[in-house]
Amino acid sequence: MLKEVGASGQISLGKKYAGQLFEVQTAPDGTITLMPVKVVPAPLTAQEEPARYAATSTSGDGWLTPERLARRAAAAARSPAEMEAARNQWEEENKEAIEAMNQRMANIGSMARRIHEWRKAKAQQAAATDGAV
């Protein structure tokens, strides 16, 4: 269906779409897509005050807060000896959890290994089913 844009820049879609809201998406090649949307009011918990920090120019999305940027800068400024000491401290603090995880891997295998075995069994089952037909 072809529609012509009027002198005022409007397009009439017909009475079927009267009162509906559409999201207008413009692609780099000039393609325009109209997506019908429904507006749902946000719950009161979601209508809270925005974060007090601005998005940094390096991240563009607000993910890197000033605190995170400071931790990254501090980590980057560590000497190799300090990094090794921090690594050893972390390992010591998490020794029980590491041992428990290693024992679990020895007992049931990693998730990757279990998925691999499951896929292998499914392929064998499919091959057996195809051969029986």
Side-chain angles (χ1 to χ4, degrees):
M1 153 175 56
L2 292 175
K3 292 288 181 173
E4 183 177 349
V5 178
S8 64
Q10 295 182 351
I11 299 174
S12 174
L13 300 178
K15 292 188 181 200
K16 175 181 174 183
Y17 299 102
Q20 289 190 23
L21 293 175
F22 290 85
E23 178 184 359
V24 179
Q25 297 174 346
T26 306
D29 66 351
T31 304
I32 298 173
T33 306
L34 297 174
M35 299 288 293
V37 297
K38 291 193 186 232
V39 177
V40 178
L44 291 177
T45 57
Q47 295 176 354
E48 53 193 38
E49 183 176 310
R52 294 189 184 276
Y53 58 87
T56 63
S57 60
T58 57
S59 71
D61 61 2
W63 175 251
L64 295 177
T65 63
E67 294 83 13
R68 285 187 174 148
L69 289 170
R71 282 197 304 265
R72 279 188 176 188
R78 288 183 184 162
S79 70
E82 290 174 318
M83 289 180 69
E84 184 63 26
R87 193 175 298 118
N88 289 338
Q89 179 185 355
W90 180 90
E91 185 178 337
E92 189 60 37
E93 290 171 356
N94 294 284
K95 189 173 190 170
E96 290 179 17
I98 293 168
E99 289 174 3
M101 186 64 166
N102 287 338
Q103 185 61 43
R104 182 168 189 252
M105 292 302 107
N107 291 341
I108 66 171
S110 69
M111 182 58 75
R113 171 60 55 194
R114 291 169 33 210
I115 291 171
H116 174 74
E117 295 298 328
W118 176 79
R119 286 181 173 165
K120 188 171 148 184
K122 291 295 265 181
Q124 289 173 347
Q125 182 183 18
T129 303
D130 289 344
V133 174

